[in-house]
């Protein structure tokens, strides 16, 4: 029991620390230093507040400039909602799953504190998920809303895609989603 209590306390203290660091940055845009290793991977350094730091920072950080979300680009918000909720599948499947989450997302955005126990338990990336809920609400409510939400492209297969390109391996490229069919190679391995 003492171990669990200490774990909860540590999680809470880390949460407060990250939120305080984000608030200290203020509303002005900021830039982060990055370096690339010999493999070409980028790492952000000099601050624990960065997009590689985890779910909470990813939920709190946003682009400094916003853009209107055209109707045809709305699918990317649905994909983000579904992905952060924990839905699996190709882009089309996740977009459909995200649209099915619409009513929940709007309810959570309307009362995030009252529904915290529900969305924080159900979503795999709870802070990015609730941020996506707010964004969906704002875009649906106001067609002129300027979205600053960071929406990721799926990078789960990037290492296999790079290997396929370097080797000229068409079969591996197909298995790493560079062909016409979506495949979850990591799930196949598991």
């Amino acid at each position: 029991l003492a171990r669990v209590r200490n774990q909860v306390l540590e999680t809470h203290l880390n949460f407060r620390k990250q939120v305080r660091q984000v608030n200290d940055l203020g509303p002005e845009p900021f830039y982060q230093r990055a370096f690339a290793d010999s493999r070409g991977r980028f790492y952000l350094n000099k601050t624990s507040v960065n997009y590689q730091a985890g779910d909470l920072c990813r939920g709190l950080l946003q682009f400094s400039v916003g853009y209107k979300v055209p109707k045809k680009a709305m699918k990317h918000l649905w994909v983000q909602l579904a992905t952060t909720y924990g839905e699996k599948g190709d882009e089309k499947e996740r977009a459909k799953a995200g649209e099915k989450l619409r009513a929940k997302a709007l309810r959570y955005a309307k009362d995030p504190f009252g529904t915290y126990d529900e969305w924080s338990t159900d979503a795999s990336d709870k802070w990015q998920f609730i941020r996506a809920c707010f964004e969906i609400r704002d875009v649906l409510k106001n067609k002129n809303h300027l979205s600053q939400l960071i929406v990721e492209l799926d990078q789960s297969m990037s290492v296999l895609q790079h290997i396929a390109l370097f080797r000229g391996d068409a079969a591996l490229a197909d298995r790493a989603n560079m062909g016409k069919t979506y495949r979850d190679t990591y799930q196949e391995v598991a």
Side-chain angles (χ1 to χ4, degrees):
L1 186 63
R3 191 181 89 234
V4 172
R5 185 177 158 276
N6 288 338
Q7 226 174 358
V8 169
L9 180 61
E10 184 178 337
T11 300
H12 177 73
L13 292 174
N14 285 335
F15 170 85
R16 290 179 58 99
K17 178 183 175 185
Q18 283 187 323
V19 170
R20 186 173 49 252
Q21 289 172 332
V22 168
N23 286 334
D24 287 348
L25 287 170
E28 296 300 315
F30 66 93
Y31 300 91
Q32 294 187 315
R33 292 179 184 213
F35 70 92
D37 68 12
S38 60
R39 299 167 294 179
R41 290 187 177 174
F42 280 93
Y43 298 91
L44 302 173
N45 60 3
K46 298 290 183 189
T47 178
S48 62
V49 178
N50 66 67
Y51 201 72
Q52 294 174 331
D55 179 46
L56 178 59
C57 282
R58 288 177 184 203
L60 292 172
L61 294 175
Q62 63 185 20
F63 289 117
S64 61
V65 176
Y67 292 94
K68 288 182 190 176
V69 178
K71 199 174 229 178
K72 64 182 179 182
M74 190 67 191
K75 70 177 181 182
H76 299 295
L77 289 179
W78 295 124
V79 169
Q80 178 74 0
L81 185 72
T83 301
T84 57
Y85 192 72
E87 298 291 339
K88 304 290 182 204
D90 65 23
E91 184 178 325
K92 287 180 182 177
E93 291 168 331
R94 283 182 287 147
K96 285 180 185 176
E99 286 188 73
K100 288 180 182 175
L101 289 168
R102 177 184 182 148
K104 278 186 177 184
L106 294 174
R107 185 167 54 86
Y108 297 154
K110 184 176 183 178
D111 184 16
F113 296 109
T115 59
Y116 174 80
D117 288 342
E118 189 177 341
W119 62 260
S120 68
T121 304
D122 293 346
S124 61
D125 295 308
K126 65 182 179 182
W127 300 114
Q128 293 175 81
F129 174 74
I130 195 64
R131 175 64 172 87
C133 291
F134 295 146
E135 200 66 30
I136 298 252
R137 175 203 59 201
D138 295 346
V139 169
L140 292 176
K141 190 185 222 181
N142 177 5
K143 67 179 181 174
N144 294 317
H145 172 72
L146 300 179
S147 177
Q148 294 174 270
L149 181 68
I150 298 172
V151 175
E152 293 182 67
L153 297 174
D154 184 5
Q155 301 172 29
S156 64
M157 297 293 210
S158 62
V159 69
L160 296 176
Q161 293 167 347
H162 283 95
I163 291 170
L165 288 171
F166 291 142
R167 291 180 150 186
D169 187 335
L172 179 58
D174 184 58
R175 291 186 70 155
N177 295 326
M178 295 173 73
K180 293 180 180 177
T181 306
Y182 172 78
R183 302 193 50 184
D184 189 346
T185 302
Y186 291 124
Q187 185 63 39
E188 291 174 23
V189 170

